Amino acid sequence: MSTSNYAGIEDQYAGLDNASIVLIPVPYDGTSTWQKGADKGPDAFLDASRNMELYDIETDTEVYQHGIYLADPVSENSSPEKMVDAVHAATKKYIKRNKFVTLFGGEHSISIGSIRAFNEMFENLSVLQIDAHADLRKTYDGSSYNHACAVYEASQNTNLVQVGIRSMDSIELGINDEEKIFYAHEMVQDDYWSEKATEALTENVFITIDLDGFDPSICPSTGTPEPGGLFWYETLDFLRGVFEEKNVVGFDIVELCPNPNEKSSDFLAAKLYYKMLSYKFKDIALEGEEGYDADKGFAKAGLKKMKNINED
């Protein structure tokens, strides 16, 4: 067993050729505006993952056996624009290799690159954002690649559905479809918000989760914690339904800002990542039978722009 692999899994499950899943760390914290430290998030997440049980009770699976390849980190940090370009290139490279691609940040601006790559590859893409903040500014602090602009491009080019929002600037009002924003204070009063949010999604879905979408009582180690967030089991219940009813094509998790005196947030992030993989693969056969094949998603909806996923 190697500690250099994701979760310390055995080498036979960690090689790129045999892995169904790719995990791309992006240790970037170039545009955050309050608490710094999201660049340390991937290491804290990986450390917690190596101390996590790999049998998932709920799904009765060990999803790591589908193979999880830990890619080299995207280390470009000379500018937000170059970082986004690097994330976009790395993400697209592994999608073309027919992998289920996931990313762990880093602050939320990394999602501009990951969403752009998935939108170029999958037809009629929805982006499901779980977040405390709307992140719909066209520009912020002189850049359109700021964490406060994380899903502006998605709002213009994809079907964006936002869940858990409880902080925004007035200039962000009306940028996204108000029927597709689920505000936290309204969700508390609506027993059917999860069904409504799921129905608002198209068939192909990319999920981006900012950990400040969770209530700070269960996940305090984020750059900008906001009171009134989501709790563990309601989030899992929602995500389980999305994975069951839609074709989730990939996801990223961002904004872990680790605190050496508070490790529970690191472990929540690690568990969340593994849970999402467990939901995705629980009904997919292991290697040697009929394993994961991203072509199934392409065949279901058709490629967008990219004519050959194997081209360089």
Side-chain angles (χ1 to χ4, degrees):
M1 183 175 292
S2 171
T3 56
S4 63
N5 297 336
Y6 164 78
I9 60 177
E10 297 173 1
D11 289 342
Q12 71 184 90
Y13 299 116
L16 176 60
D17 289 343
N18 296 326
S20 295
I21 302 151
V22 169
L23 166 60
I24 306 173
V26 190
Y28 179 77
D29 191 19
T31 74
S32 58
T33 49
W34 190 29
Q35 298 187 87
K36 293 286 188 178
D39 56 323
K40 307 296 192 300
D43 281 345
F45 158 77
L46 289 169
D47 182 60
S49 299
R50 295 180 184 115
N51 291 280
M52 177 183 67
E53 301 284 6
L54 296 179
Y55 169 69
D56 183 67
I57 299 170
E58 179 188 0
T59 59
D60 187 27
T61 62
E62 294 181 298
V63 70
Y64 76 90
Q65 292 181 5
H66 287 274
I68 304 173
Y69 173 70
L70 179 59
D72 291 335
V74 175
S75 57
E76 174 61 61
N77 62 7
S78 59
S79 72
E81 292 78 10
K82 290 183 178 179
M83 178 277 298
V84 166
D85 287 344
V87 170
H88 170 262
T91 302
K92 201 165 181 178
K93 176 177 75 172
Y94 290 114
I95 297 174
K96 288 180 182 180
R97 292 199 63 161
N98 222 19
K99 306 298 183 180
F100 184 78
V101 182
T102 64
L103 302 94
F104 196 95
E107 39 120 309
H108 210 169
S109 59
I110 76 159
S111 300
I112 300 171
S114 56
I115 293 170
R116 187 179 293 170
F118 277 93
N119 192 40
E120 289 173 355
M121 294 298 291
F122 287 93
E123 190 69 57
N124 198 19
L125 185 73
S126 284
V127 173
L128 170 60
Q129 173 196 8
I130 297 178
D131 203 327
H133 307 92
D135 290 344
L136 287 170
R137 289 173 168 88
K138 187 173 182 179
T139 63
Y140 188 75
D141 213 15
S143 174
S144 59
Y145 293 86
N146 191 281
H147 71 105
C149 314
V151 294
Y152 175 81
E153 185 174 303
S155 74
Q156 305 301 298
N157 299 330
T158 75
N159 177 55
L160 176 64
V161 177
Q162 301 175 283
V163 169
I165 306 303
R166 53 196 189 274
S167 178
M168 65 191 305
D169 191 274
S170 61
I171 63 172
E172 297 174 275
L173 291 170
I175 290 177
N176 199 28
D177 185 344
E178 284 294 315
E179 296 297 315
K180 296 177 182 178
I181 301 179
F182 293 83
Y183 295 106
H185 71 281
E186 295 176 345
M187 291 163 57
V188 173
Q189 307 296 327
D190 186 353
D191 292 336
Y192 301 100
W193 69 264
S194 60
E195 290 87 346
K196 293 174 183 176
T198 304
E199 289 174 2
L201 298 166
T202 55
E203 181 66 20
N204 289 331
V205 178
F206 177 82
I207 303 174
T208 180
I209 298 182
D210 187 325
L211 290 168
D212 65 26
F214 287 100
D215 192 83
S217 64
I218 67 167
C219 189
S221 295
T222 67
T224 314
E226 291 276 352
L230 291 161
F231 291 98
W232 181 247
Y233 283 110
E234 68 176 324
T235 305
L236 292 187
D237 185 61
F238 173 49
L239 289 172
R240 185 190 313 113
V242 172
F243 275 93
E244 288 175 352
E245 295 184 32
K246 304 296 179 178
N247 179 38
V248 177
V249 296
F251 63 83
D252 64 32
I253 299 174
V254 300
E255 297 283 357
L256 176 64
C257 189
N259 178 344
N261 299 314
E262 193 283 297
K263 295 289 190 179
S264 65
S265 297
D266 306 353
F267 202 81
L268 179 146
K271 194 79 171 182
L272 176 67
Y273 177 83
Y274 201 71
K275 271 288 189 185
M276 292 173 73
L277 291 183
S278 298
Y279 291 151
K280 175 65 182 179
F281 284 84
K282 69 182 180 68
D283 296 320
I284 298 175
L286 285 167
E287 182 74 20
E289 301 174 52
E290 188 183 1
Y292 176 75
D293 187 346
D295 273 333
K296 294 175 183 176
F298 293 127
K300 186 179 293 185
L303 276 173
K304 179 179 181 182
K305 297 181 183 175
M306 300 304 300
K307 301 300 183 185
N308 181 353
I309 66 171
N310 294 314
E311 67 184 17
D312 292 333

